[in-house]
Amino acid sequence: MSSLTQGRETTLEEMLALREERAARQRRMLAESGCASLVCLSLNMAGPVKRHFLADALFEEGRRQTADVLTALGAVLDERVTDRPAGQTAFFAVDQPAELVKVRMTALEDQGGASRLWDIDVLRPDGTKVSRGDVGQEGRRCFLCTQPAALCARSRAHSVEELKAYTDRLLLDWYVARQAGRIGAAAQRALLYEVSVTPKPGLVDRNNSGAHRDMDFFTFLDSTCALGGYFRACARWGLTHPETPARQVLAELQTMGMCAEGEMYRATGGVNTHKGAIFSLGILCAAAGMLAAAGQAPSDDALGALAGEIAAPALGGLGAGAETAGQAAFRAHGLTGARGEAASGFRREREELTALRALLAEGRSLNDALALVLLRLIARAEDTNIVKRRGRERLDQVHREAEELLAGEGPSWEDLLRLDESFIREGLSPGGCADLLAVVCFFFFWEEQEKAGA
């Protein structure tokens, strides 16, 4: 991940030019806006490299948080951003007293971690800066010791190399925590949306518990909440081990997966709600973390390809070990189930992601679009849960029934409700397809939030 903190060295001329431009814009905005105060956000970057991937990402995070706080105050009159080789600067003309704004801005600076790199000045209408002392607060302390930062800066108490090493560590720690949180949130959101889609034939949804008697909608909510730490841990592992050969990753994730199953069972009173999702989404979270460690742009193809490489060794376990429903289906019928879907790089799910986007573009609600995607999965996926309950022949019949509903203009709401009633009477639950729907949701939410920078 060190490449994320590499960039071109800034020249002295560029730094002086940025300083002059910043001062000129401050004067201009104060004069033109008639604001009560002006907020100026930049980064404190030690060393000659002022711009790189993580610096720009942290600046954008600071700009967003500053805008959020000032907007909540109902105070923003104007916002401008300058982008120069020596650094980025955000300016906010604010219709609130400078002293009040300064208190809010120091709270942002003092959150801890990488927020220490934000330098947020607040100017009065006459151009003078509001100091921390003006609002009864202590001045900022040095990164590396407990002395006042200004004193260490004047005396050059610490070398540039020491300061840069510390700055880089702050940035890397912030990025890992931020990305792990975002990836983990996408996985939890995927599970929440999967269980909420209604109607889902034979499955737990907002209408009923489907063909299940030991779980309901709230059981799935409890399970999803319990798995948040696991998803973040998988993402964090990927972020901090990006150079690990993909085929070795699954073995590293297995212990975390076992612990996650324990958390699930404790949350649900011993009910298996998400064992398949623990496998599939854990792999995807780790793969997403590995891509993020390289600063790679979001791409469902890249994510699928890496996840497939990670999952490939799982196919070797189908013929050995304790008998599971998936292993029984493989030995009897050659079905690879969830392991095969993952090892393919979730090819089918990425195809359904394309279908989901097309349905949304037609004006369908997300619920209705996902309900149709689920039916498409029921029509085509090798759901070993159906095989376990009703045999291979019934799986083939389910495929045909679902395909018939999809033919022509597609199923009506009443068609889906009738199929749900039929599956419930039969005790038929396409639980494997539910896990695959969660995978589709993860791809959708992960790429959506990465592109939005959320």
Short mmCIF file of all heavy atoms in Angstrom, two decimals, residues 251-303:
data_model
loop_
_atom_site.label_atom_id
_atom_site.label_comp_id
_atom_site.label_asym_id
_atom_site.label_seq_id
_atom_site.Cartn_x
_atom_site.Cartn_y
_atom_site.Cartn_z
N ALA A 251 -7.69 -19.92 2.67
CA ALA A 251 -7.24 -20.58 3.90
C ALA A 251 -7.10 -19.59 5.04
O ALA A 251 -7.38 -19.92 6.21
CB ALA A 251 -5.90 -21.29 3.65
N GLU A 252 -6.69 -18.36 4.72
CA GLU A 252 -6.54 -17.33 5.75
C GLU A 252 -7.90 -16.86 6.28
O GLU A 252 -8.02 -16.44 7.42
CB GLU A 252 -5.76 -16.14 5.18
CG GLU A 252 -4.36 -16.46 4.70
CD GLU A 252 -3.41 -16.78 5.84
OE1 GLU A 252 -3.74 -16.43 6.99
OE2 GLU A 252 -2.35 -17.36 5.57
N LEU A 253 -8.93 -16.93 5.42
CA LEU A 253 -10.26 -16.44 5.81
C LEU A 253 -11.06 -17.48 6.58
O LEU A 253 -12.04 -17.13 7.25
CB LEU A 253 -11.05 -16.04 4.56
CG LEU A 253 -10.48 -14.91 3.70
CD1 LEU A 253 -11.41 -14.67 2.50
CD2 LEU A 253 -10.30 -13.63 4.50
N GLN A 254 -10.67 -18.74 6.49
CA GLN A 254 -11.51 -19.80 7.04
C GLN A 254 -11.72 -19.68 8.55
O GLN A 254 -12.83 -19.90 9.04
CB GLN A 254 -10.93 -21.17 6.69
CG GLN A 254 -11.17 -21.54 5.23
CD GLN A 254 -10.50 -22.85 4.83
OE1 GLN A 254 -9.51 -23.26 5.44
NE2 GLN A 254 -11.04 -23.49 3.80
N THR A 255 -10.68 -19.33 9.29
CA THR A 255 -10.85 -19.20 10.73
C THR A 255 -11.81 -18.07 11.07
O THR A 255 -12.67 -18.21 11.96
CB THR A 255 -9.49 -18.96 11.41
OG1 THR A 255 -8.62 -20.05 11.14
CG2 THR A 255 -9.66 -18.80 12.92
N MET A 256 -11.69 -16.95 10.35
CA MET A 256 -12.64 -15.85 10.58
C MET A 256 -14.06 -16.28 10.25
O MET A 256 -15.02 -15.91 10.94
CB MET A 256 -12.25 -14.63 9.73
CG MET A 256 -11.03 -13.88 10.24
SD MET A 256 -10.75 -12.32 9.36
CE MET A 256 -10.03 -12.94 7.83
N GLY A 257 -14.21 -17.09 9.20
CA GLY A 257 -15.53 -17.59 8.84
C GLY A 257 -16.12 -18.48 9.91
O GLY A 257 -17.32 -18.42 10.20
N MET A 258 -15.29 -19.33 10.53
CA MET A 258 -15.77 -20.19 11.61
C MET A 258 -16.26 -19.36 12.80
O MET A 258 -17.30 -19.65 13.40
CB MET A 258 -14.65 -21.13 12.07
CG MET A 258 -14.23 -22.15 11.03
SD MET A 258 -12.76 -23.08 11.58
CE MET A 258 -12.41 -24.07 10.12
N CYS A 259 -15.50 -18.33 13.12
CA CYS A 259 -15.91 -17.43 14.22
C CYS A 259 -17.21 -16.71 13.87
O CYS A 259 -18.08 -16.53 14.73
CB CYS A 259 -14.81 -16.42 14.52
SG CYS A 259 -13.30 -17.13 15.21
N ALA A 260 -17.35 -16.32 12.61
CA ALA A 260 -18.57 -15.63 12.17
C ALA A 260 -19.78 -16.55 12.29
O ALA A 260 -20.87 -16.11 12.68
CB ALA A 260 -18.41 -15.15 10.73
N GLU A 261 -19.60 -17.83 11.95
CA GLU A 261 -20.71 -18.77 12.11
C GLU A 261 -21.13 -18.87 13.57
O GLU A 261 -22.33 -18.95 13.89
CB GLU A 261 -20.31 -20.14 11.57
CG GLU A 261 -20.22 -20.20 10.05
CD GLU A 261 -19.87 -21.58 9.54
OE1 GLU A 261 -20.02 -22.55 10.32
OE2 GLU A 261 -19.47 -21.70 8.37
N GLY A 262 -20.15 -18.86 14.46
CA GLY A 262 -20.47 -18.89 15.88
C GLY A 262 -21.26 -17.66 16.31
O GLY A 262 -22.23 -17.77 17.07
N GLU A 263 -20.87 -16.49 15.81
CA GLU A 263 -21.61 -15.25 16.11
C GLU A 263 -23.03 -15.34 15.58
O GLU A 263 -23.99 -14.91 16.24
CB GLU A 263 -20.89 -14.05 15.49
CG GLU A 263 -19.53 -13.73 16.10
CD GLU A 263 -19.65 -13.16 17.51
OE1 GLU A 263 -20.76 -12.73 17.89
OE2 GLU A 263 -18.64 -13.18 18.23
N MET A 264 -23.17 -15.89 14.37
CA MET A 264 -24.50 -16.04 13.77
C MET A 264 -25.38 -16.93 14.64
O MET A 264 -26.53 -16.58 14.95
CB MET A 264 -24.37 -16.63 12.37
CG MET A 264 -25.69 -16.97 11.70
SD MET A 264 -25.47 -17.95 10.19
CE MET A 264 -24.95 -19.55 10.88
N TYR A 265 -24.86 -18.09 15.03
CA TYR A 265 -25.67 -19.02 15.82
C TYR A 265 -26.04 -18.44 17.18
O TYR A 265 -27.15 -18.67 17.68
CB TYR A 265 -24.92 -20.34 15.99
CG TYR A 265 -24.88 -21.19 14.73
CD1 TYR A 265 -23.68 -21.69 14.24
CD2 TYR A 265 -26.06 -21.48 14.03
CE1 TYR A 265 -23.65 -22.47 13.07
CE2 TYR A 265 -26.04 -22.25 12.88
CZ TYR A 265 -24.83 -22.74 12.41
OH TYR A 265 -24.80 -23.51 11.26
N ARG A 266 -25.12 -17.69 17.77
CA ARG A 266 -25.45 -17.06 19.06
C ARG A 266 -26.55 -16.01 18.89
O ARG A 266 -27.42 -15.87 19.75
CB ARG A 266 -24.21 -16.43 19.69
CG ARG A 266 -23.30 -17.45 20.38
CD ARG A 266 -22.17 -16.77 21.14
NE ARG A 266 -21.16 -16.24 20.25
CZ ARG A 266 -20.15 -16.94 19.75
NH1 ARG A 266 -20.04 -18.24 20.06
NH2 ARG A 266 -19.25 -16.40 18.96
N ALA A 267 -26.51 -15.29 17.79
CA ALA A 267 -27.50 -14.23 17.57
C ALA A 267 -28.87 -14.79 17.23
O ALA A 267 -29.90 -14.15 17.50
CB ALA A 267 -27.03 -13.31 16.44
N THR A 268 -28.91 -15.97 16.62
CA THR A 268 -30.18 -16.53 16.13
C THR A 268 -30.70 -17.69 16.98
O THR A 268 -31.71 -18.30 16.63
CB THR A 268 -30.01 -17.04 14.68
OG1 THR A 268 -29.05 -18.11 14.66
CG2 THR A 268 -29.54 -15.93 13.76
N GLY A 269 -30.01 -18.01 18.06
CA GLY A 269 -30.43 -19.14 18.86
C GLY A 269 -30.19 -20.47 18.18
O GLY A 269 -30.98 -21.42 18.35
N GLY A 270 -29.12 -20.55 17.39
CA GLY A 270 -28.76 -21.80 16.75
C GLY A 270 -29.31 -22.02 15.37
O GLY A 270 -29.18 -23.11 14.80
N VAL A 271 -29.90 -20.98 14.77
CA VAL A 271 -30.51 -21.11 13.44
C VAL A 271 -29.51 -20.67 12.37
O VAL A 271 -28.85 -19.64 12.50
CB VAL A 271 -31.79 -20.26 13.33
CG1 VAL A 271 -32.37 -20.34 11.91
CG2 VAL A 271 -32.82 -20.72 14.35
N ASN A 272 -29.40 -21.45 11.30
CA ASN A 272 -28.52 -21.12 10.17
C ASN A 272 -29.23 -20.17 9.22
O ASN A 272 -30.04 -20.58 8.40
CB ASN A 272 -28.09 -22.39 9.43
CG ASN A 272 -27.29 -22.08 8.17
OD1 ASN A 272 -26.81 -20.96 7.97
ND2 ASN A 272 -27.15 -23.06 7.31
N THR A 273 -28.94 -18.90 9.35
CA THR A 273 -29.54 -17.89 8.47
C THR A 273 -28.61 -17.51 7.32
O THR A 273 -29.07 -17.24 6.21
CB THR A 273 -29.86 -16.61 9.27
OG1 THR A 273 -28.72 -16.28 10.08
CG2 THR A 273 -31.07 -16.81 10.15
N HIS A 274 -27.30 -17.47 7.56
CA HIS A 274 -26.38 -16.84 6.60
C HIS A 274 -25.09 -17.60 6.38
O HIS A 274 -24.08 -17.00 6.00
CB HIS A 274 -26.03 -15.42 7.10
CG HIS A 274 -27.13 -14.43 6.94
ND1 HIS A 274 -27.57 -13.64 7.99
CD2 HIS A 274 -27.89 -14.09 5.88
CE1 HIS A 274 -28.54 -12.86 7.57
NE2 HIS A 274 -28.76 -13.11 6.29
N LYS A 275 -25.10 -18.94 6.57
CA LYS A 275 -23.84 -19.66 6.41
C LYS A 275 -23.30 -19.51 4.98
O LYS A 275 -22.09 -19.31 4.78
CB LYS A 275 -24.05 -21.14 6.73
CG LYS A 275 -22.75 -21.92 6.83
CD LYS A 275 -22.97 -23.31 7.40
CE LYS A 275 -21.65 -24.06 7.54
NZ LYS A 275 -21.86 -25.40 8.14
N GLY A 276 -24.16 -19.60 3.99
CA GLY A 276 -23.71 -19.41 2.60
C GLY A 276 -23.19 -18.02 2.34
O GLY A 276 -22.20 -17.83 1.63
N ALA A 277 -23.86 -17.01 2.91
CA ALA A 277 -23.43 -15.63 2.72
C ALA A 277 -22.10 -15.36 3.42
O ALA A 277 -21.30 -14.54 2.94
CB ALA A 277 -24.50 -14.67 3.25
N ILE A 278 -21.86 -16.02 4.55
CA ILE A 278 -20.57 -15.87 5.23
C ILE A 278 -19.45 -16.28 4.28
O ILE A 278 -18.40 -15.61 4.20
CB ILE A 278 -20.55 -16.70 6.53
CG1 ILE A 278 -21.44 -16.04 7.59
CG2 ILE A 278 -19.12 -16.85 7.06
CD1 ILE A 278 -21.66 -16.88 8.83
N PHE A 279 -19.64 -17.36 3.56
CA PHE A 279 -18.65 -17.83 2.60
C PHE A 279 -18.50 -16.84 1.44
O PHE A 279 -17.40 -16.33 1.16
CB PHE A 279 -19.05 -19.21 2.08
CG PHE A 279 -18.23 -19.71 0.93
CD1 PHE A 279 -16.93 -20.16 1.12
CD2 PHE A 279 -18.75 -19.72 -0.36
CE1 PHE A 279 -16.17 -20.62 0.05
CE2 PHE A 279 -18.00 -20.18 -1.43
CZ PHE A 279 -16.70 -20.63 -1.23
N SER A 280 -19.59 -16.54 0.76
CA SER A 280 -19.52 -15.74 -0.47
C SER A 280 -19.14 -14.29 -0.19
O SER A 280 -18.24 -13.73 -0.83
CB SER A 280 -20.86 -15.79 -1.21
OG SER A 280 -21.17 -17.10 -1.62
N LEU A 281 -19.82 -13.67 0.77
CA LEU A 281 -19.56 -12.25 1.03
C LEU A 281 -18.22 -12.05 1.73
O LEU A 281 -17.58 -11.00 1.56
CB LEU A 281 -20.69 -11.64 1.86
CG LEU A 281 -22.04 -11.55 1.16
CD1 LEU A 281 -23.07 -10.87 2.06
CD2 LEU A 281 -21.95 -10.80 -0.17
N GLY A 282 -17.78 -13.04 2.51
CA GLY A 282 -16.45 -12.93 3.11
C GLY A 282 -15.36 -12.87 2.04
O GLY A 282 -14.43 -12.06 2.12
N ILE A 283 -15.48 -13.72 1.03
CA ILE A 283 -14.53 -13.70 -0.08
C ILE A 283 -14.59 -12.36 -0.80
O ILE A 283 -13.55 -11.76 -1.12
CB ILE A 283 -14.83 -14.85 -1.05
CG1 ILE A 283 -14.44 -16.19 -0.42
CG2 ILE A 283 -14.10 -14.66 -2.38
CD1 ILE A 283 -14.86 -17.40 -1.22
N LEU A 284 -15.79 -11.87 -1.06
CA LEU A 284 -15.93 -10.61 -1.79
C LEU A 284 -15.38 -9.44 -0.98
O LEU A 284 -14.76 -8.53 -1.54
CB LEU A 284 -17.40 -10.37 -2.14
CG LEU A 284 -17.92 -11.20 -3.31
CD1 LEU A 284 -19.45 -11.13 -3.38
CD2 LEU A 284 -17.31 -10.72 -4.62
N CYS A 285 -15.59 -9.44 0.34
CA CYS A 285 -15.05 -8.35 1.17
C CYS A 285 -13.53 -8.35 1.14
O CYS A 285 -12.90 -7.29 1.04
CB CYS A 285 -15.55 -8.48 2.60
SG CYS A 285 -17.29 -8.01 2.82
N ALA A 286 -12.92 -9.54 1.23
CA ALA A 286 -11.46 -9.62 1.18
C ALA A 286 -10.94 -9.17 -0.18
O ALA A 286 -9.95 -8.42 -0.26
CB ALA A 286 -11.01 -11.05 1.47
N ALA A 287 -11.61 -9.59 -1.25
CA ALA A 287 -11.20 -9.19 -2.60
C ALA A 287 -11.34 -7.69 -2.79
O ALA A 287 -10.45 -7.04 -3.37
CB ALA A 287 -12.02 -9.95 -3.64
N ALA A 288 -12.43 -7.13 -2.30
CA ALA A 288 -12.62 -5.68 -2.41
C ALA A 288 -11.54 -4.93 -1.65
O ALA A 288 -11.05 -3.88 -2.08
CB ALA A 288 -14.01 -5.29 -1.89
N GLY A 289 -11.13 -5.47 -0.49
CA GLY A 289 -10.05 -4.85 0.27
C GLY A 289 -8.74 -4.89 -0.47
O GLY A 289 -7.98 -3.91 -0.47
N MET A 290 -8.44 -6.01 -1.12
CA MET A 290 -7.19 -6.13 -1.87
C MET A 290 -7.16 -5.14 -3.04
O MET A 290 -6.12 -4.55 -3.33
CB MET A 290 -7.02 -7.57 -2.36
CG MET A 290 -6.82 -8.57 -1.22
SD MET A 290 -6.80 -10.30 -1.75
CE MET A 290 -5.09 -10.42 -2.38
N LEU A 291 -8.29 -4.96 -3.70
CA LEU A 291 -8.35 -3.98 -4.79
C LEU A 291 -8.18 -2.56 -4.25
O LEU A 291 -7.50 -1.73 -4.86
CB LEU A 291 -9.69 -4.10 -5.53
CG LEU A 291 -9.93 -5.39 -6.31
CD1 LEU A 291 -11.31 -5.37 -6.96
CD2 LEU A 291 -8.85 -5.60 -7.38
N ALA A 292 -8.81 -2.28 -3.11
CA ALA A 292 -8.70 -0.95 -2.53
C ALA A 292 -7.28 -0.64 -2.11
O ALA A 292 -6.82 0.51 -2.18
CB ALA A 292 -9.64 -0.81 -1.33
N ALA A 293 -6.54 -1.67 -1.67
CA ALA A 293 -5.15 -1.46 -1.25
C ALA A 293 -4.29 -1.00 -2.40
O ALA A 293 -3.27 -0.34 -2.21
CB ALA A 293 -4.59 -2.75 -0.66
N ALA A 294 -4.70 -1.33 -3.62
CA ALA A 294 -3.96 -0.91 -4.80
C ALA A 294 -4.49 0.41 -5.36
O ALA A 294 -3.98 0.89 -6.38
CB ALA A 294 -4.03 -1.99 -5.88
N GLY A 295 -5.51 0.98 -4.71
CA GLY A 295 -6.11 2.21 -5.22
C GLY A 295 -6.81 2.00 -6.54
O GLY A 295 -6.95 2.94 -7.34
N GLN A 296 -7.28 0.77 -6.79
CA GLN A 296 -7.86 0.43 -8.07
C GLN A 296 -9.29 0.95 -8.18
O GLN A 296 -10.07 0.88 -7.23
CB GLN A 296 -7.85 -1.09 -8.27
CG GLN A 296 -8.19 -1.55 -9.67
CD GLN A 296 -7.79 -3.01 -9.89
OE1 GLN A 296 -6.86 -3.50 -9.27
NE2 GLN A 296 -8.49 -3.69 -10.77
N ALA A 297 -9.65 1.47 -9.35
CA ALA A 297 -10.99 1.98 -9.58
C ALA A 297 -12.00 0.84 -9.47
O ALA A 297 -11.70 -0.30 -9.84
CB ALA A 297 -11.09 2.63 -10.95
N PRO A 298 -13.20 1.11 -8.93
CA PRO A 298 -14.20 0.05 -8.77
C PRO A 298 -14.62 -0.55 -10.09
O PRO A 298 -14.91 0.16 -11.05
CB PRO A 298 -15.37 0.76 -8.08
CG PRO A 298 -15.20 2.21 -8.41
CD PRO A 298 -13.72 2.42 -8.49
N SER A 299 -14.66 -1.87 -10.16
CA SER A 299 -15.06 -2.60 -11.36
C SER A 299 -15.60 -3.95 -10.93
O SER A 299 -14.89 -4.71 -10.26
CB SER A 299 -13.88 -2.77 -12.32
OG SER A 299 -14.10 -3.82 -13.23
N ASP A 300 -16.85 -4.27 -11.29
CA ASP A 300 -17.39 -5.56 -10.89
C ASP A 300 -16.66 -6.70 -11.58
O ASP A 300 -16.54 -7.79 -11.03
CB ASP A 300 -18.90 -5.63 -11.14
CG ASP A 300 -19.29 -5.20 -12.54
OD1 ASP A 300 -18.93 -5.91 -13.49
OD2 ASP A 300 -19.97 -4.17 -12.68
N ASP A 301 -16.11 -6.46 -12.77
CA ASP A 301 -15.34 -7.50 -13.45
C ASP A 301 -14.04 -7.81 -12.68
O ASP A 301 -13.68 -8.98 -12.50
CB ASP A 301 -15.00 -7.08 -14.88
CG ASP A 301 -16.21 -7.12 -15.80
OD1 ASP A 301 -17.19 -7.81 -15.45
OD2 ASP A 301 -16.19 -6.46 -16.85
N ALA A 302 -13.34 -6.75 -12.25
CA ALA A 302 -12.10 -6.97 -11.51
C ALA A 302 -12.38 -7.64 -10.17
O ALA A 302 -11.64 -8.55 -9.75
CB ALA A 302 -11.38 -5.63 -11.29
N LEU A 303 -13.44 -7.21 -9.51
CA LEU A 303 -13.80 -7.82 -8.23
C LEU A 303 -14.17 -9.29 -8.41
O LEU A 303 -13.74 -10.16 -7.65
CB LEU A 303 -14.96 -7.05 -7.59
CG LEU A 303 -15.46 -7.57 -6.24
CD1 LEU A 303 -14.36 -7.56 -5.20
CD2 LEU A 303 -16.64 -6.75 -5.76
#
